[in-house]
Amino acid sequence: MKNSEVLLSRADFWRYSYITYAIDDVAPASLTLQDRFGVNVNLIMLLCWCLQEGVILTLTQCQQLIECVEDSEHQLKAHRHKRHAAKPKEDEVSARYDDLKAEELELEKAQQALILAQFNQFDVSYLPKEAAVGGNVFNASIAAFINAYALREAPQARLLLSAIIKALP
């Protein structure tokens, strides 16, 4: 059975991602996972939201999410490369760099829309509400995510992911 309502809206997910990304070491850990292990930061943010809401993602669902952003991820990587190449020196100001940053945020928003279009079609299970936040119940979404990105044999990646999860309120 598919969901008859939207689980997560674009605006809510963007706001959630913005707030979560700003927490402690979430941004640096997410970027390291992205750069060293090929993990999509928007999907890290979705995983965090799922953990906080008690939503359980399966391995198949994680794989489908990764697949649905494949093309946009190539576009984002190319854009990031262009932005990094345009980064000004310490004392310089660059309108071009600022424009590229703004464009990258729009690409990120577009990618989130793709993620949500797929995610909101899933038939998901939930942990009991009391177990979702601060409970001692393991959310299988973590294992699904780790397996979808083949991180089982990457202890540094698992430590980074653990740090992000521990930083969640």
Side-chain angles (χ1 to χ4, degrees), residues 70-98:
E70 197 170 283
D71 290 338
S72 69
E73 190 62 14
H74 291 300
Q75 185 180 10
L76 265 165
K77 283 180 184 179
H79 190 81
R80 276 188 212 113
H81 181 71
K82 191 185 332 179
R83 180 178 56 82
H84 288 301
K87 189 170 185 172
K89 305 274 191 272
E90 268 186 49
D91 296 337
E92 294 178 348
V93 175
S94 170
R96 169 98 174 112
Y97 182 76
D98 292 341

Side-chain angles (χ1 to χ4, degrees), residues 138-152:
F138 178 77
N139 186 324
S141 299
I142 299 167
F145 192 86
I146 288 169
N147 285 310
Y149 275 107
L151 301 176
R152 286 185 67 203

